[in-house]
Amino acid sequence: MLTVRNLPEEVHRALRVQAALHGRSTEAEVREILANAVKPERRVRIGDALAALGQSSGLTNEDIEALEQARGRIPAEPMRFE
């Protein structure tokens, strides 16, 4: 539940008009606006970004298998951001 106080009348009116144009209630329109604001369609999805990075770097399945075989045998070093 969410209550919005002190919403200017012109904003409320614009919401009602926009909701009517979309065939929704004002409450449904506000839910849609909020959902789009915090979860936009163009947001970066980490899994997709990592997959694209792997594809653009030219990694092959053989490379991944070699990395899997080397895992645990090579001591890890902390990353440096210098």
PDB file of all heavy atoms in Angstrom, residues 42-74:
ATOM      1  N   ARG A  42      14.989  -1.413 -20.789  1.00  0.00           N
ATOM      2  CA  ARG A  42      16.360  -1.333 -21.283  1.00  0.00           C
ATOM      3  C   ARG A  42      17.395  -1.499 -20.186  1.00  0.00           C
ATOM      4  O   ARG A  42      18.557  -1.217 -20.398  1.00  0.00           O
ATOM      5  CB  ARG A  42      16.571   0.001 -21.987  1.00  0.00           C
ATOM      6  CG  ARG A  42      15.748   0.112 -23.252  1.00  0.00           C
ATOM      7  CD  ARG A  42      15.949   1.443 -23.876  1.00  0.00           C
ATOM      8  NE  ARG A  42      15.464   2.459 -22.946  1.00  0.00           N
ATOM      9  CZ  ARG A  42      15.354   3.730 -23.198  1.00  0.00           C
ATOM     10  NH1 ARG A  42      15.702   4.171 -24.353  1.00  0.00           N
ATOM     11  NH2 ARG A  42      14.901   4.569 -22.312  1.00  0.00           N
ATOM     12  N   ARG A  43      16.986  -1.961 -19.013  1.00  0.00           N
ATOM     13  CA  ARG A  43      17.960  -2.111 -17.934  1.00  0.00           C
ATOM     14  C   ARG A  43      18.969  -3.191 -18.292  1.00  0.00           C
ATOM     15  O   ARG A  43      18.694  -4.100 -19.065  1.00  0.00           O
ATOM     16  CB  ARG A  43      17.262  -2.435 -16.620  1.00  0.00           C
ATOM     17  CG  ARG A  43      16.680  -3.833 -16.561  1.00  0.00           C
ATOM     18  CD  ARG A  43      15.967  -4.043 -15.227  1.00  0.00           C
ATOM     19  NE  ARG A  43      15.506  -5.383 -15.062  1.00  0.00           N
ATOM     20  CZ  ARG A  43      14.318  -5.834 -15.392  1.00  0.00           C
ATOM     21  NH1 ARG A  43      13.438  -5.016 -15.924  1.00  0.00           N
ATOM     22  NH2 ARG A  43      13.987  -7.083 -15.212  1.00  0.00           N
ATOM     23  N   VAL A  44      20.141  -3.087 -17.713  1.00  0.00           N
ATOM     24  CA  VAL A  44      21.192  -4.066 -17.957  1.00  0.00           C
ATOM     25  C   VAL A  44      20.929  -5.280 -17.083  1.00  0.00           C
ATOM     26  O   VAL A  44      20.793  -5.170 -15.867  1.00  0.00           O
ATOM     27  CB  VAL A  44      22.584  -3.477 -17.645  1.00  0.00           C
ATOM     28  CG1 VAL A  44      23.655  -4.535 -17.779  1.00  0.00           C
ATOM     29  CG2 VAL A  44      22.869  -2.292 -18.555  1.00  0.00           C
ATOM     30  N   ARG A  45      20.826  -6.425 -17.720  1.00  0.00           N
ATOM     31  CA  ARG A  45      20.677  -7.680 -16.993  1.00  0.00           C
ATOM     32  C   ARG A  45      22.049  -8.319 -16.935  1.00  0.00           C
ATOM     33  O   ARG A  45      22.677  -8.563 -17.973  1.00  0.00           O
ATOM     34  CB  ARG A  45      19.663  -8.569 -17.684  1.00  0.00           C
ATOM     35  CG  ARG A  45      18.266  -7.981 -17.618  1.00  0.00           C
ATOM     36  CD  ARG A  45      17.244  -8.993 -18.119  1.00  0.00           C
ATOM     37  NE  ARG A  45      15.922  -8.602 -17.727  1.00  0.00           N
ATOM     38  CZ  ARG A  45      15.011  -8.109 -18.565  1.00  0.00           C
ATOM     39  NH1 ARG A  45      15.310  -7.955 -19.836  1.00  0.00           N
ATOM     40  NH2 ARG A  45      13.819  -7.779 -18.130  1.00  0.00           N
ATOM     41  N   ILE A  46      22.524  -8.587 -15.730  1.00  0.00           N
ATOM     42  CA  ILE A  46      23.899  -9.025 -15.534  1.00  0.00           C
ATOM     43  C   ILE A  46      24.209 -10.308 -16.306  1.00  0.00           C
ATOM     44  O   ILE A  46      25.270 -10.441 -16.892  1.00  0.00           O
ATOM     45  CB  ILE A  46      24.239  -9.150 -14.024  1.00  0.00           C
ATOM     46  CG1 ILE A  46      25.740  -9.352 -13.815  1.00  0.00           C
ATOM     47  CG2 ILE A  46      23.460 -10.270 -13.379  1.00  0.00           C
ATOM     48  CD1 ILE A  46      26.544  -8.143 -14.133  1.00  0.00           C
ATOM     49  N   GLY A  47      23.280 -11.257 -16.321  1.00  0.00           N
ATOM     50  CA  GLY A  47      23.521 -12.502 -17.055  1.00  0.00           C
ATOM     51  C   GLY A  47      23.692 -12.259 -18.540  1.00  0.00           C
ATOM     52  O   GLY A  47      24.595 -12.818 -19.177  1.00  0.00           O
ATOM     53  N   ASP A  48      22.822 -11.419 -19.105  1.00  0.00           N
ATOM     54  CA  ASP A  48      22.921 -11.093 -20.526  1.00  0.00           C
ATOM     55  C   ASP A  48      24.222 -10.358 -20.824  1.00  0.00           C
ATOM     56  O   ASP A  48      24.875 -10.606 -21.843  1.00  0.00           O
ATOM     57  CB  ASP A  48      21.739 -10.233 -20.972  1.00  0.00           C
ATOM     58  CG  ASP A  48      20.410 -10.993 -20.914  1.00  0.00           C
ATOM     59  OD1 ASP A  48      20.430 -12.233 -20.878  1.00  0.00           O
ATOM     60  OD2 ASP A  48      19.362 -10.310 -20.895  1.00  0.00           O
ATOM     61  N   ALA A  49      24.602  -9.445 -19.928  1.00  0.00           N
ATOM     62  CA  ALA A  49      25.837  -8.679 -20.120  1.00  0.00           C
ATOM     63  C   ALA A  49      27.052  -9.599 -20.076  1.00  0.00           C
ATOM     64  O   ALA A  49      27.977  -9.464 -20.890  1.00  0.00           O
ATOM     65  CB  ALA A  49      25.947  -7.586 -19.061  1.00  0.00           C
ATOM     66  N   LEU A  50      27.069 -10.540 -19.143  1.00  0.00           N
ATOM     67  CA  LEU A  50      28.201 -11.466 -19.051  1.00  0.00           C
ATOM     68  C   LEU A  50      28.264 -12.391 -20.269  1.00  0.00           C
ATOM     69  O   LEU A  50      29.356 -12.678 -20.777  1.00  0.00           O
ATOM     70  CB  LEU A  50      28.111 -12.281 -17.759  1.00  0.00           C
ATOM     71  CG  LEU A  50      28.367 -11.490 -16.476  1.00  0.00           C
ATOM     72  CD1 LEU A  50      28.093 -12.364 -15.253  1.00  0.00           C
ATOM     73  CD2 LEU A  50      29.786 -10.956 -16.444  1.00  0.00           C
ATOM     74  N   ALA A  51      27.113 -12.857 -20.735  1.00  0.00           N
ATOM     75  CA  ALA A  51      27.082 -13.710 -21.921  1.00  0.00           C
ATOM     76  C   ALA A  51      27.597 -12.948 -23.138  1.00  0.00           C
ATOM     77  O   ALA A  51      28.388 -13.481 -23.928  1.00  0.00           O
ATOM     78  CB  ALA A  51      25.667 -14.223 -22.164  1.00  0.00           C
ATOM     79  N   ALA A  52      27.179 -11.692 -23.287  1.00  0.00           N
ATOM     80  CA  ALA A  52      27.636 -10.873 -24.414  1.00  0.00           C
ATOM     81  C   ALA A  52      29.142 -10.630 -24.331  1.00  0.00           C
ATOM     82  O   ALA A  52      29.835 -10.657 -25.349  1.00  0.00           O
ATOM     83  CB  ALA A  52      26.880  -9.545 -24.442  1.00  0.00           C
ATOM     84  N   LEU A  53      29.639 -10.421 -23.124  1.00  0.00           N
ATOM     85  CA  LEU A  53      31.070 -10.213 -22.938  1.00  0.00           C
ATOM     86  C   LEU A  53      31.843 -11.460 -23.360  1.00  0.00           C
ATOM     87  O   LEU A  53      32.856 -11.371 -24.057  1.00  0.00           O
ATOM     88  CB  LEU A  53      31.366  -9.870 -21.474  1.00  0.00           C
ATOM     89  CG  LEU A  53      32.823  -9.652 -21.107  1.00  0.00           C
ATOM     90  CD1 LEU A  53      33.390  -8.457 -21.858  1.00  0.00           C
ATOM     91  CD2 LEU A  53      32.963  -9.454 -19.613  1.00  0.00           C
ATOM     92  N   GLY A  54      31.366 -12.621 -22.951  1.00  0.00           N
ATOM     93  CA  GLY A  54      32.023 -13.868 -23.336  1.00  0.00           C
ATOM     94  C   GLY A  54      32.008 -14.067 -24.839  1.00  0.00           C
ATOM     95  O   GLY A  54      33.009 -14.486 -25.432  1.00  0.00           O
ATOM     96  N   GLN A  55      30.886 -13.751 -25.484  1.00  0.00           N
ATOM     97  CA  GLN A  55      30.780 -13.912 -26.931  1.00  0.00           C
ATOM     98  C   GLN A  55      31.688 -12.932 -27.669  1.00  0.00           C
ATOM     99  O   GLN A  55      32.361 -13.300 -28.626  1.00  0.00           O
ATOM    100  CB  GLN A  55      29.336 -13.732 -27.384  1.00  0.00           C
ATOM    101  CG  GLN A  55      28.435 -14.864 -26.945  1.00  0.00           C
ATOM    102  CD  GLN A  55      26.966 -14.575 -27.210  1.00  0.00           C
ATOM    103  OE1 GLN A  55      26.591 -13.459 -27.535  1.00  0.00           O
ATOM    104  NE2 GLN A  55      26.136 -15.599 -27.055  1.00  0.00           N
ATOM    105  N   SER A  56      31.724 -11.685 -27.188  1.00  0.00           N
ATOM    106  CA  SER A  56      32.542 -10.676 -27.875  1.00  0.00           C
ATOM    107  C   SER A  56      34.030 -10.914 -27.683  1.00  0.00           C
ATOM    108  O   SER A  56      34.838 -10.491 -28.497  1.00  0.00           O
ATOM    109  CB  SER A  56      32.162  -9.269 -27.409  1.00  0.00           C
ATOM    110  OG  SER A  56      32.563  -9.067 -26.071  1.00  0.00           O
ATOM    111  N   SER A  57      34.420 -11.626 -26.622  1.00  0.00           N
ATOM    112  CA  SER A  57      35.840 -11.887 -26.375  1.00  0.00           C
ATOM    113  C   SER A  57      36.340 -13.085 -27.163  1.00  0.00           C
ATOM    114  O   SER A  57      37.538 -13.344 -27.203  1.00  0.00           O
ATOM    115  CB  SER A  57      36.081 -12.112 -24.881  1.00  0.00           C
ATOM    116  OG  SER A  57      35.480 -13.325 -24.470  1.00  0.00           O
ATOM    117  N   GLY A  58      35.428 -13.829 -27.782  1.00  0.00           N
ATOM    118  CA  GLY A  58      35.832 -14.959 -28.604  1.00  0.00           C
ATOM    119  C   GLY A  58      36.072 -16.238 -27.824  1.00  0.00           C
ATOM    120  O   GLY A  58      36.694 -17.162 -28.335  1.00  0.00           O
ATOM    121  N   LEU A  59      35.608 -16.316 -26.586  1.00  0.00           N
ATOM    122  CA  LEU A  59      35.774 -17.535 -25.805  1.00  0.00           C
ATOM    123  C   LEU A  59      35.020 -18.681 -26.464  1.00  0.00           C
ATOM    124  O   LEU A  59      33.916 -18.512 -26.958  1.00  0.00           O
ATOM    125  CB  LEU A  59      35.249 -17.343 -24.383  1.00  0.00           C
ATOM    126  CG  LEU A  59      36.109 -16.516 -23.433  1.00  0.00           C
ATOM    127  CD1 LEU A  59      35.390 -16.321 -22.112  1.00  0.00           C
ATOM    128  CD2 LEU A  59      37.444 -17.181 -23.202  1.00  0.00           C
ATOM    129  N   THR A  60      35.639 -19.853 -26.440  1.00  0.00           N
ATOM    130  CA  THR A  60      34.998 -21.039 -26.989  1.00  0.00           C
ATOM    131  C   THR A  60      34.696 -22.013 -25.854  1.00  0.00           C
ATOM    132  O   THR A  60      35.172 -21.832 -24.720  1.00  0.00           O
ATOM    133  CB  THR A  60      35.925 -21.734 -28.007  1.00  0.00           C
ATOM    134  OG1 THR A  60      37.082 -22.209 -27.311  1.00  0.00           O
ATOM    135  CG2 THR A  60      36.330 -20.787 -29.138  1.00  0.00           C
ATOM    136  N   ASN A  61      33.954 -23.049 -26.163  1.00  0.00           N
ATOM    137  CA  ASN A  61      33.681 -24.084 -25.164  1.00  0.00           C
ATOM    138  C   ASN A  61      34.975 -24.735 -24.700  1.00  0.00           C
ATOM    139  O   ASN A  61      35.115 -25.099 -23.533  1.00  0.00           O
ATOM    140  CB  ASN A  61      32.726 -25.131 -25.727  1.00  0.00           C
ATOM    141  CG  ASN A  61      31.304 -24.609 -25.818  1.00  0.00           C
ATOM    142  OD1 ASN A  61      30.946 -23.637 -25.161  1.00  0.00           O
ATOM    143  ND2 ASN A  61      30.499 -25.252 -26.643  1.00  0.00           N
ATOM    144  N   GLU A  62      35.938 -24.883 -25.604  1.00  0.00           N
ATOM    145  CA  GLU A  62      37.235 -25.461 -25.228  1.00  0.00           C
ATOM    146  C   GLU A  62      37.954 -24.574 -24.211  1.00  0.00           C
ATOM    147  O   GLU A  62      38.602 -25.074 -23.283  1.00  0.00           O
ATOM    148  CB  GLU A  62      38.111 -25.670 -26.474  1.00  0.00           C
ATOM    149  CG  GLU A  62      37.615 -26.753 -27.408  1.00  0.00           C
ATOM    150  CD  GLU A  62      36.491 -26.278 -28.327  1.00  0.00           C
ATOM    151  OE1 GLU A  62      36.357 -25.056 -28.566  1.00  0.00           O
ATOM    152  OE2 GLU A  62      35.725 -27.144 -28.788  1.00  0.00           O
ATOM    153  N   ASP A  63      37.860 -23.256 -24.392  1.00  0.00           N
ATOM    154  CA  ASP A  63      38.473 -22.337 -23.438  1.00  0.00           C
ATOM    155  C   ASP A  63      37.850 -22.504 -22.056  1.00  0.00           C
ATOM    156  O   ASP A  63      38.553 -22.538 -21.051  1.00  0.00           O
ATOM    157  CB  ASP A  63      38.299 -20.881 -23.893  1.00  0.00           C
ATOM    158  CG  ASP A  63      39.014 -20.577 -25.194  1.00  0.00           C
ATOM    159  OD1 ASP A  63      40.093 -21.153 -25.443  1.00  0.00           O
ATOM    160  OD2 ASP A  63      38.482 -19.748 -25.963  1.00  0.00           O
ATOM    161  N   ILE A  64      36.541 -22.618 -22.031  1.00  0.00           N
ATOM    162  CA  ILE A  64      35.833 -22.775 -20.756  1.00  0.00           C
ATOM    163  C   ILE A  64      36.219 -24.091 -20.099  1.00  0.00           C
ATOM    164  O   ILE A  64      36.457 -24.157 -18.890  1.00  0.00           O
ATOM    165  CB  ILE A  64      34.306 -22.679 -20.954  1.00  0.00           C
ATOM    166  CG1 ILE A  64      33.914 -21.337 -21.556  1.00  0.00           C
ATOM    167  CG2 ILE A  64      33.565 -22.935 -19.650  1.00  0.00           C
ATOM    168  CD1 ILE A  64      34.330 -20.131 -20.744  1.00  0.00           C
ATOM    169  N   GLU A  65      36.319 -25.155 -20.886  1.00  0.00           N
ATOM    170  CA  GLU A  65      36.734 -26.450 -20.342  1.00  0.00           C
ATOM    171  C   GLU A  65      38.134 -26.372 -19.758  1.00  0.00           C
ATOM    172  O   GLU A  65      38.406 -26.942 -18.700  1.00  0.00           O
ATOM    173  CB  GLU A  65      36.651 -27.527 -21.424  1.00  0.00           C
ATOM    174  CG  GLU A  65      35.222 -27.888 -21.798  1.00  0.00           C
ATOM    175  CD  GLU A  65      35.138 -28.807 -23.005  1.00  0.00           C
ATOM    176  OE1 GLU A  65      36.184 -29.355 -23.435  1.00  0.00           O
ATOM    177  OE2 GLU A  65      34.014 -28.973 -23.521  1.00  0.00           O
ATOM    178  N   ALA A  66      39.043 -25.673 -20.428  1.00  0.00           N
ATOM    179  CA  ALA A  66      40.407 -25.512 -19.915  1.00  0.00           C
ATOM    180  C   ALA A  66      40.387 -24.734 -18.608  1.00  0.00           C
ATOM    181  O   ALA A  66      41.113 -25.072 -17.657  1.00  0.00           O
ATOM    182  CB  ALA A  66      41.280 -24.800 -20.952  1.00  0.00           C
ATOM    183  N   LEU A  67      39.561 -23.703 -18.519  1.00  0.00           N
ATOM    184  CA  LEU A  67      39.444 -22.945 -17.271  1.00  0.00           C
ATOM    185  C   LEU A  67      38.885 -23.818 -16.155  1.00  0.00           C
ATOM    186  O   LEU A  67      39.343 -23.748 -15.004  1.00  0.00           O
ATOM    187  CB  LEU A  67      38.556 -21.718 -17.478  1.00  0.00           C
ATOM    188  CG  LEU A  67      39.133 -20.598 -18.343  1.00  0.00           C
ATOM    189  CD1 LEU A  67      38.065 -19.570 -18.656  1.00  0.00           C
ATOM    190  CD2 LEU A  67      40.326 -19.955 -17.648  1.00  0.00           C
ATOM    191  N   GLU A  68      37.901 -24.644 -16.475  1.00  0.00           N
ATOM    192  CA  GLU A  68      37.313 -25.543 -15.476  1.00  0.00           C
ATOM    193  C   GLU A  68      38.352 -26.528 -14.951  1.00  0.00           C
ATOM    194  O   GLU A  68      38.398 -26.821 -13.761  1.00  0.00           O
ATOM    195  CB  GLU A  68      36.119 -26.305 -16.072  1.00  0.00           C
ATOM    196  CG  GLU A  68      34.907 -25.452 -16.364  1.00  0.00           C
ATOM    197  CD  GLU A  68      34.197 -24.993 -15.119  1.00  0.00           C
ATOM    198  OE1 GLU A  68      34.256 -25.687 -14.098  1.00  0.00           O
ATOM    199  OE2 GLU A  68      33.578 -23.908 -15.172  1.00  0.00           O
ATOM    200  N   GLN A  69      39.199 -27.056 -15.842  1.00  0.00           N
ATOM    201  CA  GLN A  69      40.217 -28.013 -15.431  1.00  0.00           C
ATOM    202  C   GLN A  69      41.282 -27.354 -14.565  1.00  0.00           C
ATOM    203  O   GLN A  69      41.837 -27.979 -13.665  1.00  0.00           O
ATOM    204  CB  GLN A  69      40.871 -28.657 -16.650  1.00  0.00           C
ATOM    205  CG  GLN A  69      39.941 -29.600 -17.383  1.00  0.00           C
ATOM    206  CD  GLN A  69      40.552 -30.139 -18.667  1.00  0.00           C
ATOM    207  OE1 GLN A  69      41.679 -29.797 -19.027  1.00  0.00           O
ATOM    208  NE2 GLN A  69      39.798 -30.982 -19.362  1.00  0.00           N
ATOM    209  N   ALA A  70      41.574 -26.089 -14.823  1.00  0.00           N
ATOM    210  CA  ALA A  70      42.608 -25.376 -14.057  1.00  0.00           C
ATOM    211  C   ALA A  70      42.081 -24.870 -12.722  1.00  0.00           C
ATOM    212  O   ALA A  70      42.863 -24.536 -11.835  1.00  0.00           O
ATOM    213  CB  ALA A  70      43.140 -24.203 -14.877  1.00  0.00           C
ATOM    214  N   ARG A  71      40.770 -24.840 -12.555  1.00  0.00           N
ATOM    215  CA  ARG A  71      40.189 -24.319 -11.324  1.00  0.00           C
ATOM    216  C   ARG A  71      40.691 -25.119 -10.119  1.00  0.00           C
ATOM    217  O   ARG A  71      40.711 -26.322 -10.123  1.00  0.00           O
ATOM    218  CB  ARG A  71      38.673 -24.395 -11.383  1.00  0.00           C
ATOM    219  CG  ARG A  71      38.015 -23.840 -10.134  1.00  0.00           C
ATOM    220  CD  ARG A  71      36.533 -23.939 -10.198  1.00  0.00           C
ATOM    221  NE  ARG A  71      36.057 -22.973 -11.193  1.00  0.00           N
ATOM    222  CZ  ARG A  71      34.818 -22.910 -11.632  1.00  0.00           C
ATOM    223  NH1 ARG A  71      33.927 -23.760 -11.209  1.00  0.00           N
ATOM    224  NH2 ARG A  71      34.467 -22.014 -12.517  1.00  0.00           N
ATOM    225  N   GLY A  72      41.098 -24.414  -9.114  1.00  0.00           N
ATOM    226  CA  GLY A  72      41.536 -25.046  -7.880  1.00  0.00           C
ATOM    227  C   GLY A  72      43.018 -25.377  -7.872  1.00  0.00           C
ATOM    228  O   GLY A  72      43.598 -25.586  -6.820  1.00  0.00           O
ATOM    229  N   ARG A  73      43.655 -25.418  -9.029  1.00  0.00           N
ATOM    230  CA  ARG A  73      45.078 -25.723  -9.078  1.00  0.00           C
ATOM    231  C   ARG A  73      45.938 -24.466  -9.091  1.00  0.00           C
ATOM    232  O   ARG A  73      47.104 -24.517  -8.751  1.00  0.00           O
ATOM    233  CB  ARG A  73      45.400 -26.560 -10.312  1.00  0.00           C
ATOM    234  CG  ARG A  73      44.886 -27.989 -10.172  1.00  0.00           C
ATOM    235  CD  ARG A  73      45.461 -28.852 -11.243  1.00  0.00           C
ATOM    236  NE  ARG A  73      44.494 -28.892 -12.340  1.00  0.00           N
ATOM    237  CZ  ARG A  73      44.801 -29.138 -13.605  1.00  0.00           C
ATOM    238  NH1 ARG A  73      46.021 -29.368 -13.951  1.00  0.00           N
ATOM    239  NH2 ARG A  73      43.867 -29.156 -14.517  1.00  0.00           N
ATOM    240  N   ILE A  74      45.359 -23.383  -9.482  1.00  0.00           N
ATOM    241  CA  ILE A  74      46.097 -22.116  -9.543  1.00  0.00           C
ATOM    242  C   ILE A  74      45.632 -21.256  -8.378  1.00  0.00           C
ATOM    243  O   ILE A  74      44.443 -20.992  -8.241  1.00  0.00           O
ATOM    244  CB  ILE A  74      45.839 -21.387 -10.874  1.00  0.00           C
ATOM    245  CG1 ILE A  74      46.237 -22.294 -12.044  1.00  0.00           C
ATOM    246  CG2 ILE A  74      46.566 -20.053 -10.920  1.00  0.00           C
ATOM    247  CD1 ILE A  74      45.816 -21.760 -13.396  1.00  0.00           C
TER     248      ILE A  74
END
